[in-house]
Amino acid sequence: MTLNKILLFSFLMIVTACHGQEKNSSLKVPFASKPSPTVIKNFKSVGLAPDFDTTLVSQYIRSIFEDSKGNLWFGTIGEGVVRYDKKTLTYFSNPDGFESKSVFSINEDKKGNMWFGTDQGVYKYDSKLAVGKRFRNYTQKDGLNHIDISRKSILVDKSGTVWVGTHGGVYQYNPLADSLGNPSFSLFTLLPPINVAGIMEDKDGNIWFASSNKGVFRYDGKTIVNFNEKEGLGENYAGGIAQDKLGNMWFTMKNGICKFDGKTFTEYTPKDGLGGTEFWGIIIEQSGIIWITARGSTTRFDPSIPLPNPKAFMVFTPTDGLNCCVQSMFQDKSGNMWWGAGSGLFRFNGTQFYQVKQKGPW
């Protein structure tokens, strides 16, 4: 058994265990749901837990993205990628040319092509092409020497450049080389061969790379700076990285999260009010509210409340409706927050989390 299969099996065992904690939750949705979409799926799911609920969008949702047309895309483990366009819920997998079952990262380029990072390289989806030819898979033959794409590790920057983070470094896509039939991905050599855990672009155009063991790197277009002097920042393995309205950078750490104002780091841990252990993800709402996911809980943090103050932190556990193993968070253009967890897709009604299944409530 390969290392990747072993890691995937271990991950599924963890999230399946968390999935079992969710069954007693019954939540009220505070608004009328949109009409149930038509489900289009022409393949049978494989590799899922024996007790998999077939009414879910998917049991394991690892990435969420909204494209320029307002469609929501969900990257899953076991069921390829799913698109929700308000009318249909379409599953893309083998019959459509999308061979990978595990999708860890999603983005859209300036031409409207969708990009998906998987455990079998990168896929590009061109909706303008005929059915059956829409997906193009990029692997070693295209210069992508490492085909395990990391979580949240496809970035399309302001200039249109496509960046791809892998378990063995960062690659850039060259569309001209692709059009000429040449290898279209090249290694970004200013970075060491790091295990990338996340990529983002800040408001000033700097590109940030979170690594699993060597801290965080910032690229200003000319030079690379490595930030790893803060203890625990070198274990930013889940790729938690975000920027607030004031320009502060936020990172997940081994024992919590930290804020970097450009000069100093400020750490926040369970002693301050964060819930859980083994911190994974971070997202900052348009309102400035920060959500942090960890093993055992999800925390809502209001950084505008001076600390120490317990009102700054609100900790949610499976008893509040959200499965403990949150794998992705996303805020759409309408301001709605979405969570992908170990038991499907969730939204938040202001008090509790509720589950969104294939038929809704959307």
Side-chain angles (χ1 to χ4, degrees):
M1 181 179 292
T2 66
L3 177 59
N4 288 335
K5 290 182 178 178
I6 293 172
L7 292 174
L8 176 59
F9 177 76
S10 300
F11 168 78
L12 294 180
M13 291 295 291
I14 292 172
V15 294
T16 301
C18 292
H19 171 57
Q21 301 177 27
E22 185 59 31
K23 295 181 179 179
N24 295 326
S25 176
S26 59
L27 303 176
K28 295 181 180 180
V29 181
F31 52 83
S33 175
K34 297 181 179 67
S36 298
T38 300
V39 178
I40 300 176
K41 183 177 180 181
N42 57 357
F43 64 93
K44 183 178 180 181
S45 302
V46 296
L48 298 175
D51 61 343
F52 172 57
D53 183 353
T54 57
T55 68
L56 298 180
V57 174
S58 188
Q59 184 168 338
Y60 312 114
I61 296 179
R62 291 288 274 164
S63 50
I64 306 173
F65 184 82
E66 183 179 17
D67 66 23
S68 57
K69 298 178 181 178
N71 302 313
L72 287 172
W73 295 80
F74 306 102
T76 77
I77 287 185
E79 297 186 284
V81 66
V82 187
R83 183 185 65 197
Y84 171 62
D85 64 4
K86 309 296 190 295
K87 295 181 180 180
T88 59
L89 193 66
T90 305
Y91 290 72
F92 297 99
S93 192
N94 289 10
D96 307 290
F98 193 88
E99 301 293 334
S100 178
K101 295 293 192 299
S102 301
V103 183
F104 302 110
S105 187
I106 307 174
N107 216 316
E108 181 182 16
D109 67 23
K110 301 292 185 180
K111 294 183 178 180
N113 299 308
M114 298 300 300
W115 292 82
F116 306 98
T118 76
D119 60 348
Q120 297 179 25
V122 173
Y123 282 83
K124 182 174 72 172
Y125 174 75
D126 186 347
S127 60
K128 301 181 183 68
L129 297 178
V131 176
K133 298 180 181 179
R134 295 179 175 182
F135 287 100
R136 161 79 185 277
N137 184 208
Y138 297 88
T139 60
Q140 291 98 332
K141 70 183 186 305
D142 305 289
L144 201 62
N145 294 331
H146 297 271
I147 61 171
D148 286 318
I149 311 304
S150 305
R151 180 174 173 261
K152 298 192 301 182
S153 289
I154 293 185
L155 170 72
V156 180
D157 67 23
K158 295 173 185 175
S159 70
T161 300
V162 178
W163 300 77
V164 175
T166 75
H167 292 183
V170 175
Y171 292 79
Q172 292 176 303
Y173 171 68
N174 184 334
L176 177 59
D178 197 5
S179 67
L180 296 174
N182 298 322
S184 47
F185 281 91
S186 59
L187 184 66
F188 182 60
T189 56
L190 290 183
L191 282 172
I194 55 175
N195 186 348
V196 182
I199 308 176
M200 71 157 289
E201 183 177 17
D202 68 21
K203 298 172 184 177
D204 296 323
N206 299 305
I207 310 295
W208 293 80
F209 307 91
S211 73
S212 63
N213 57 356
K214 295 182 180 179
V216 175
F217 297 80
R218 184 185 66 196
Y219 175 56
D220 64 4
K222 296 180 180 180
T223 59
I224 294 285
V225 178
N226 182 207
F227 299 92
N228 61 7
E229 63 267 31
K230 183 64 178 177
E231 183 180 359
L233 187 58
E235 299 191 34
N236 187 269
Y237 67 93
I241 181 170
Q243 185 179 32
D244 64 26
K245 291 183 178 180
L246 298 177
N248 300 307
M249 299 299 300
W250 294 78
F251 311 106
T252 55
M253 302 172 62
K254 179 180 180 181
N255 298 314
I257 63 173
C258 70
K259 178 180 71 174
F260 179 57
D261 63 6
K263 295 181 179 179
T264 59
F265 290 94
T266 303
E267 184 177 323
Y268 303 85
T269 71
K271 293 180 181 179
D272 298 295
L274 288 178
T277 59
E278 195 174 327
F279 294 86
W280 296 331
I282 186 169
I283 189 173
I284 302 178
E285 285 191 42
Q286 298 164 6
S287 65
I289 294 297
I290 302 175
W291 291 88
I292 305 102
T293 59
R295 183 176 297 280
S297 66
T298 294
T299 302
R300 180 185 184 275
F301 171 36
D302 185 347
S304 68
I305 298 177
L307 299 181
N309 190 328
K311 293 183 179 180
F313 299 90
M314 185 178 297
V315 178
F316 297 89
T317 66
T319 59
D320 299 298
L322 184 65
N323 174 276
C324 71
C325 300
V326 175
Q327 302 156 36
S328 55
M329 297 184 287
F330 185 80
Q331 185 172 32
D332 65 27
K333 297 182 181 70
S334 299
N336 302 309
M337 286 292 298
W338 300 82
W339 282 264
S343 60
L345 182 65
F346 290 83
R347 286 180 62 183
F348 185 62
N349 66 11
T351 304
Q352 287 185 307
F353 293 87
Y354 66 91
Q355 194 173 54
V356 179
K357 296 191 175 184
Q358 290 178 345
K359 297 299 183 181
W362 290 94

